[in-house]
């Protein structure tokens, strides 16, 4: 019986490891990817629109404020666009 218990425990650990790995792989975008997506969304946002785009939701508030200010300066022609 001890080998059967060990086999179950091993299978459980392997299954849990697989689920965790799949979950981490499913997270998808890196933080940098989120920043780039947010920047693109802000560039595409209509002038005067102050709503936070969905693509910017994963960003920390301070980072969002910096990206928003950067894009606003680009749109005003005070800061060169990087595309």
């Amino acid at each position: 019986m001890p080998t059967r218990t060990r086999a179950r425990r091993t299978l459980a650990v392997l299954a849990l490891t697989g689920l965790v790995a799949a979950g981490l792989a499913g997270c998808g975008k890196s933080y940098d990817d989120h920043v780039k997506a947010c920047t693109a969304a802000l560039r595409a946002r209509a002038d005067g629109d102050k709503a936070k785009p969905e693509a910017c939701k994963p960003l920390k508030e301070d980072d969002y404020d910096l990206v928003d200010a950067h894009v606003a300066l680009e749109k005003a022609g005070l800061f060169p666009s990087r595309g």
Side-chain angles (χ1 to χ4, degrees):
M1 289 294 179
T3 56
R4 187 173 277 178
T5 302
R6 183 179 297 158
R8 285 183 188 160
R9 187 178 314 140
T10 301
L11 285 174
V13 168
L14 288 173
L16 182 60
T17 302
L19 288 173
V20 169
L24 290 176
C27 290
K29 293 183 174 183
S30 69
Y31 195 76
D32 190 49
D33 290 335
H34 286 296
V35 171
K36 289 175 183 175
C38 177
T39 302
L42 289 171
R43 285 179 179 146
R45 182 172 70 174
D47 290 341
D49 184 4
K50 296 297 178 188
K52 187 175 188 176
E54 191 65 33
C56 299
K57 301 283 186 197
L59 270 59
K60 297 174 189 169
E61 201 59 37
D62 288 344
D63 292 341
Y64 169 74
D65 291 342
L66 287 172
V67 173
D68 189 32
H70 177 91
V71 172
L73 290 172
E74 281 181 354
K75 286 183 173 184
L78 300 174
F79 198 81
S81 174
R82 292 184 163 195

